[in-house]
Amino acid sequence: MITIIAATNRQNSNTLKIAEFYLELMKKHTQEVQLLSLLDLPNDLADPKMYDEPSESFKKLQKQYLVDAEKFVLIMPEYNGGIPGILKLMIDISDIKPCWHYKKVCMVGVAAGRAGNLRGMDDFTSWLNYIKVGVHYLKIPISGVAGKLDDSGRLNDQPTIDLLNQQIEDFVSY
């Protein structure tokens, strides 16, 4: 199973729009794929007690989207030159070994600016390597994301779509 993670809990985000589009593209290559929006994280995630004993709602989410996944696609917006804290918090609360150890990840950066979250993806690669996650070589930065979406919020930039398809084809067999 592959879990695509829309790595922000910001409502109406371009990140979720890209993640939903990515899901459509990936379903052309495998039906073993699901989407986790961090909007769906339990509201008690930031409770300090979660480090000792996660809530039942988080345990259920963790089992479905993290433990049972073999691979992850992280669609990550740029927040202040890095990644959203909610993504890091989710990983910190999760049971690291069954959720992350020896699994594979590929990344797509999303940004309003010019760099497409390159810095965040590079930095996060080090964090993932620390928890024994293999990171796919092709990291795709989507810069100026709003200008690459049509009026309905769908990605309409063909060079970006072609690159995403290339990443998907390679990652499915990775």
Side-chain angles (χ1 to χ4, degrees), residues 111-123:
R114 295 181 295 153
N117 199 16
L118 281 170
R119 191 175 312 157
M121 289 190 290
D122 284 346
D123 187 37

Side-chain angles (χ1 to χ4, degrees), residues 141-162:
I142 301 178
S143 306
V145 66
K148 294 179 177 161
L149 301 174
D150 65 19
D151 292 339
S152 66
R154 287 184 54 80
L155 185 64
N156 68 355
D157 182 68
Q158 196 58 51
T160 302
I161 293 168
D162 292 344

Side-chain angles (χ1 to χ4, degrees), residues 48-56 59 93:
K49 295 175 191 162
M50 291 284 277
Y51 289 101
D52 297 322
E53 184 60 35
S55 66
E56 289 305 315
K59 287 179 185 177
I93 297 297

